[in-house]
Amino acid sequence: DGGITQSPKYLFRKEGQNVTLSCEQNLNHDAMYWYRQDPGQGLRLIYYSQIVNDFQKGDIAEGYSVSREKKESFPLTVTSAQKNPTAFYLCASSNIRGVDYGYTFGSGTRLTVV
Amino acid sequence: QKEVEQDPGPLSVPEGAIVSLNCTYSNSAFQYFMWYRQYSRKGPELLMYTYSSGNKEDGRFTAQVDKSSKYISLFIRDSQPSDSATYLCASLDTNAGKSTFGDGTTLTVKP
């Protein structure tokens, strides 16, 4: 079945540590996105990419980095510069060249700082 | 001011009630409008999307867009306990290539 796979489901980070969240899709979608969701809040865009080897900052990019070396993969690194990283992270993809602009989301990664 | 504002809720209704969920948007560049449903600790799933003003129906769900007033609504008829979730509205600017989401409304349907 086609879809988006995020791993791990739960991640614990120590202070000062960088961690990388994985996002893989087999939908042949061109665009991929990373969102952060805090309790009681909506989705805030961190980074997005519409083609391989190109990506743009979203509304809250500080303390995060991404790469898009393959169409199927869009990993997110949470760096030690991100002061409050505890949150639910969602990866999504969409077919921007088609007529269906809706996003397909992964099941999320819950990151906790310990 | 946020580009997409959503009625915050939470909303609690008895089973069988008609539910109305509402959003407004401010960016005239938004062309497509979506509703997503998110169950607790899961990723959102796309329910419906619309392009033009008017209504779009899918089973018990009706999405309504009024571009003149920049108003988006989702109606749920004959609500069921399984409809209990957080509902997110979103607006897409195809030129920018990204969607902007409302903060979500949490709905509880009581048996």
Side-chain angles (χ1 to χ4, degrees):
Chain A
D1 287 336
I4 293 187
T5 301
Q6 288 188 243
S7 62
K9 191 170 183 177
Y10 299 95
L11 186 58
F12 298 90
R13 192 194 92 168
K14 295 180 180 179
E15 294 281 352
Q17 191 178 46
N18 292 356
V19 291
T20 297
L21 283 59
S22 172
C23 179
E24 303 275 335
Q25 56 101 357
N26 60 3
L27 299 164
N28 199 33
H29 283 172
D30 296 302
M32 298 186 75
Y33 312 82
W34 274 106
Y35 286 89
R36 169 179 172 146
Q37 188 174 37
D38 293 283
Q41 295 191 31
L43 306 181
R44 291 187 289 169
L45 183 63
I46 305 172
Y47 270 98
Y48 64 108
S49 168
Q50 296 185 340
I51 57 172
V52 174
N53 292 322
D54 188 42
F55 47 82
Q56 289 76 41
K57 292 182 179 180
D59 302 317
I60 56 164
E62 186 175 350
Y64 300 96
S65 66
V66 294
S67 63
R68 187 86 187 276
E69 297 177 0
K70 299 187 298 181
K71 187 176 182 178
E72 302 79 18
S73 179
F74 192 41
L76 173 74
T77 296
V78 184
T79 74
S80 56
Q82 171 50 239
K83 298 307 178 188
N84 185 23
T86 295
F88 189 47
Y89 290 86
L90 287 159
C91 180
S93 70
S94 70
N95 181 9
I96 60 173
R97 302 184 194 283
V99 297
D100 180 358
Y101 292 104
Y103 289 6
T104 300
F105 282 89
S107 55
T109 292
R110 193 164 299 274
L111 174 63
T112 303
V113 173
V114 296
Chain B
Q1 182 189 3
K2 293 183 178 180
E3 289 187 307
V4 178
E5 299 270 8
Q6 185 165 1
D7 288 353
L11 204 55
S12 180
V13 301
E15 184 175 353
I18 296 174
V19 176
S20 172
L21 303 167
N22 305 296
C23 292
T24 58
Y25 66 95
S26 58
N27 189 341
S28 297
F30 290 147
Q31 298 151 326
Y32 286 80
F33 306 92
M34 289 79 162
W35 284 96
Y36 293 83
R37 177 174 62 196
Q38 184 178 23
Y39 292 113
S40 182
R41 297 178 176 271
K42 301 289 186 183
E45 57 177 331
L46 179 67
L47 273 178
M48 301 176 69
Y49 76 94
T50 56
Y51 173 68
S52 58
S53 286
N55 294 349
K56 183 175 181 179
E57 192 172 315
D58 184 2
R60 296 184 295 110
F61 298 87
T62 299
Q64 188 175 81
V65 176
D66 183 345
K67 286 189 172 181
S68 63
S69 61
K70 296 186 172 65
Y71 202 80
I72 312 163
S73 296
L74 179 71
F75 299 96
I76 307 174
R77 293 184 300 278
D78 187 26
S79 56
Q80 303 295 309
S82 58
D83 295 328
S84 297
T86 296
Y87 290 81
L88 298 155
C89 63
S91 300
L92 171 66
D93 178 353
T94 54
N95 292 326
K98 59 187 176 78
S99 287
T100 302
F101 287 80
D103 285 345
T105 301
T106 298
L107 170 68
T108 301
V109 181
K110 297 183 176 180

